[in-house]
Amino acid sequence: MSNERESIIKIAESYLFKGLIEQKPDEIPLADNCTRTELGFNTGKDANHLRMLLSSEAYDNVLDCYDLNWIVEGNQACVFYKQKLKQPEVPILVATRFKIENDLIHEIEIILYCPGMTDLFANEVKKAMGVD
């Protein structure tokens, strides 16, 4: 494994472990203009917005991210993994793409699947973002 690949994975993993699980978003190397998209909806407009969201109670439900499988090409990394939440009991299947430049995360794009939950989640994101 090359040092560049390891470095990119380490930076991206900080979002998963320091952000989603530990809720320590100040420890994530986010570019000021970093954006996040989930299921096609913008859910993070910049680093400050993402840090605010990741430190909120909404992420208290995230218990673990495991079975990580990485694909790294250039400055982009994609990880396929399972996410354990307090509810539901079945893990969510997640794919996340990171764009990393100058050791900072610039883009996060997420798709996920959980039987019976994906449509509910998409509808809640639409409501939160004011989209019909």
Side-chain angles (χ1 to χ4, degrees):
M1 188 181 291
S2 75
N3 286 338
E4 183 177 349
R5 176 183 166 84
E6 290 174 5
S7 176
I8 287 172
I9 290 173
K10 182 178 178 179
I11 291 166
E13 282 184 337
S14 71
Y15 172 82
L16 300 176
F17 297 109
K18 295 295 182 181
L20 298 179
I21 297 170
E22 295 179 30
Q23 292 181 279
K24 297 178 181 177
D26 290 334
E27 296 182 26
I28 306 167
L30 298 172
D32 290 341
N33 64 346
C34 181
T35 59
R36 181 179 70 183
T37 306
E38 292 180 76
L39 298 174
F41 299 97
N42 184 313
T43 59
K45 60 184 178 179
D46 60 32
N48 288 332
H49 185 228
L50 282 168
R51 287 190 173 103
M52 180 193 70
L53 292 171
L54 290 168
S55 62
S56 72
E57 292 179 5
Y59 291 88
D60 289 349
N61 196 35
V62 179
L63 300 176
D64 197 9
C65 297
Y66 61 99
D67 288 346
L68 281 67
N69 295 285
W70 289 94
I71 297 172
V72 178
E73 186 171 328
N75 67 346
Q76 300 204 40
C78 294
V79 61
F80 302 87
Y81 62 98
K82 295 175 185 169
Q83 190 175 74
K84 181 166 179 49
L85 304 176
K86 291 178 184 174
Q87 292 293 325
E89 291 182 20
V90 297
I92 294 175
L93 305 178
V94 184
T96 304
R97 180 189 63 83
F98 297 90
K99 181 177 179 184
I100 297 169
E101 296 176 349
N102 300 317
D103 296 331
L104 297 173
I105 300 171
H106 284 259
E107 295 175 8
I108 304 166
E109 183 177 6
I110 304 165
I111 57 173
L112 53 91
Y113 175 75
C114 181
M117 189 174 141
T118 303
D119 290 338
L120 177 64
F121 177 78
N123 289 335
E124 289 302 314
V125 169
K126 284 180 187 179
K127 280 186 210 172
M129 302 310 291
V131 178
D132 290 328

